[in-house]
Amino acid sequence: MLRSTLASGITIGALASISSAAALAVTANIAAASVNRADCRCFPGDACWPSANEWNSLNQTVNGRLIATIPLAAACHDDQYAAYDEERCSELQNSWLDPETHLPSSSSIMAPFFANQSCDPFQPRSAQCVIGTYVQYAINVSDVTDVVNGLNFATNHNIRLVVRNTGHDYNGKSTGAGALGLWMGNLKDTEIKDWSDKHYTGKAIKVGAGIRGGEAYKIADAAGYQVVGGECPTVGIAGGYSQGGGHSALTSRHGLAADQVLEWEVVTATGGHILANRQQNTDLYWALSGGGGGTYGIVLSMTSKLHPDTPTVGFNLTFTSAGIPMDIYYEAITAYHAALPAIVDAGAMSVWYFTNESFAISPITAPDVGLSELMDLLAPFMDKLDQLNITYTHYFGQFETYLEHFDTMFSPIQVGIAQYGGRLIPRSVVENNNTALTEAFRFINENGGQFIGVGVNASLARSGFPENAVNPGWRDALIDTTLTTPWNFTAPWEEMVANKDKMTNLFIPKLAELTPNGSCYLNEGDFQQPNFQEVFYGKNYQKLSEIKDKYDPHHIFYATTAVGSEYWEPQEDGRLCRAT
């Protein structure tokens, strides 16, 4: 991964006032990056990089909605963007882990490894503040015309193009050095509509690409419905989340997010504005529904199933390892995993966390499951805790609606606190090799990793037998395992790199031993995952590659570990060059 020694790029602010060629000058320390290779994307400092007049012209074409990047944390440094502001910097440091801090920005991202300390609020005042790995410019997209104009500009000038929404992506898909971003976050139109075809008849919701999960939940709730979205309410529902599959607290009841999609509204790499559904452009519909975001086309809106709202039961439970032999502590965790099949088969979903020090179910979500039924399902596990003399706290809650449950039981999710990797654990492993699975998790904990589990039933039967590109590994998975290593903003960078390598070379191989030819949820995987094509996409990869080539014949779209990403090879300075 590059370090942020490349130049800061543009010195201007909101681009409504671009007027000066001097203001657009690229600083001189990109000399090492200025080689203009014909097989590379044009990069700041290259002779081919657009002039001030050309950027001005694009800004006029998109009616003043072009934004030149000013790093969000510029106030924390002595830099060309803003004067050092100690009070503002302190505010940023205190709120940097909150998604809401980054959402209003057209360039900021929430994955610190990919932000690459380009302009880090936790680094000393004297440290660099450069554009670095952030997009150089972004268009605040308001309609299809903005998308087409941005696409044409990037194509004509051979510039890297990034499709970005909230900046949540763990693997840096929503940023890129030297890129023009298409910022979809303000496409907020919604419509509740009737849908009828041979596959589905019922209510549906059409959401603009910028609608976040929490917004969709409120809209659906007001009309008496549920909609499948993520556990973090600030994640965009129509972006890489649903396009990558999308697990949800409602998955065991209704399926994955990709299983809900009825139609995509898309701008293709050649500028076509089309609909993709089960009647037209069916191959693109198939690919977008689970085959990963940012690589087949630019999604303007998504239409998905709505489900009648139901009462929802929630459950939390916590205990610690204090005063408990570690063998007993992990025996209790093994017991919870043994209880999962019955829980998810009843339509409930579980999120749980554990380290060597503590275990927490937070929460179980059980839509349309009675309180007594959920209590019965959990009784064997809780009885086991009593037998092991483990003291625990727990809570059952009954809620009239799914939204009420969600707002009460799900805690805010911080960002920028970890690096990620994962594995889908088939039900058969838990049923037949549960003790070995726990030992693998224990090994990971003892060596500095942390575990987050999502227990679901996303089987074809549960999901309504959808025809889509969801990784087949989801269909027999019981546990979506997310492994993390902690991120420390003030630790040496080399230590964070070592943690990432530990994920790749030590932790995930431990689970791979138990799941040969296994799978991973592509949105929560390790970007260094060997053979990511097989692990993230399964048997679908070849077909997805063919669809990619059809709709993006010149490979305009690139994203880390996305289908077709092997066509490009990021260089040390961040530029994209064709792989050799």
Side-chain angles (χ1 to χ4, degrees), residues 228-501:
V228 174
E231 296 88 341
C232 180
T234 55
V235 171
I237 192 172
Y241 166 73
S242 289
Q243 292 173 47
H247 64 65
S248 168
L250 294 171
T251 286
S252 295
R253 178 62 60 189
H254 303 308
L256 296 166
D259 299 332
Q260 317 303 310
V261 180
L262 301 167
E263 184 171 81
W264 301 96
E265 181 186 8
V266 187
V267 177
T268 67
T270 54
H273 181 200
I274 64 175
L275 296 176
N277 52 43
R278 289 186 176 97
Q279 289 75 46
Q280 55 185 322
N281 302 307
T282 55
D283 52 352
L284 182 59
Y285 166 82
W286 180 86
L288 285 169
S289 303
T295 194
Y296 310 104
I298 303 163
V299 169
L300 296 173
S301 73
M302 175 186 78
T303 302
S304 290
K305 297 176 185 177
L306 286 174
H307 302 276
D309 205 6
T310 61
T312 302
V313 175
F315 174 78
N316 285 343
L317 182 145
T318 62
F319 59 88
T320 73
S321 62
I324 303 172
M326 294 307 294
D327 288 348
I328 298 299
Y329 174 72
Y330 279 99
E331 185 178 351
I333 293 173
T334 302
Y336 184 62
H337 296 161
L340 279 172
I343 292 170
V344 301
D345 288 351
M349 176 268 207
S350 174
V351 178
W352 73 107
Y353 312 79
F354 60 81
T355 65
N356 272 347
E357 298 177 348
S358 64
F359 172 93
I361 300 169
S362 181
I364 288 178
T365 300
D368 204 25
V369 176
L371 175 60
S372 60
E373 181 181 357
L374 184 59
M375 293 176 72
D376 289 344
L377 290 167
L378 285 161
F381 169 60
M382 298 173 75
D383 289 345
K384 182 67 172 181
L385 295 181
D386 292 336
Q387 293 169 16
L388 295 173
N389 293 316
I390 292 177
T391 301
Y392 57 90
T393 61
H394 73 283
Y395 166 77
F396 284 97
Q398 299 183 79
F399 305 94
E400 291 298 318
T401 67
Y402 171 67
L403 180 61
E404 183 184 355
H405 159 84
F406 186 91
D407 287 343
T408 303
M409 300 293 289
F410 279 89
S411 301
I413 296 177
Q414 292 185 318
V415 297
I417 59 175
Q419 300 182 81
Y420 296 85
R423 199 76 172 180
L424 292 172
I425 307 299
R427 180 179 294 234
S428 60
V429 172
V430 176
E431 292 176 341
N432 302 321
N433 211 5
N434 200 9
T435 300
L437 179 64
T438 300
E439 287 302 312
F441 290 144
R442 180 174 178 175
F443 171 86
I444 290 165
N445 280 347
E446 290 173 345
N447 285 276
Q450 299 176 350
F451 168 94
I452 306 171
V454 174
V456 293
N457 179 344
S459 64
L460 288 172
R462 188 56 55 96
S463 304
F465 295 96
E467 297 177 4
N468 58 30
V470 164
N471 188 332
W474 272 110
R475 302 312 183 184
D476 62 358
L478 177 65
I479 301 173
D480 170 30
T481 301
T482 300
L483 304 177
T484 68
T485 55
W487 183 269
N488 184 337
F489 281 94
T490 58
W493 183 263
E494 294 74 18
E495 182 179 323
M496 297 298 96
V497 172
N499 276 348
K500 172 52 68 177
D501 291 341

Side-chain angles (χ1 to χ4, degrees), residues 1 9 27 38 77 90 149 159 164 180 202 209 227 300-301 331 369 423 474 495 554 566:
M1 187 65 182
T27 54
H77 302 280
S90 179
N149 285 326
I159 293 173
R164 55 172 288 115
L180 171 64
V227 61
L300 296 173
S301 73
E331 185 178 351
V369 176
R423 199 76 172 180
W474 272 110
E495 182 179 323
H554 303 295
E566 60 267 38

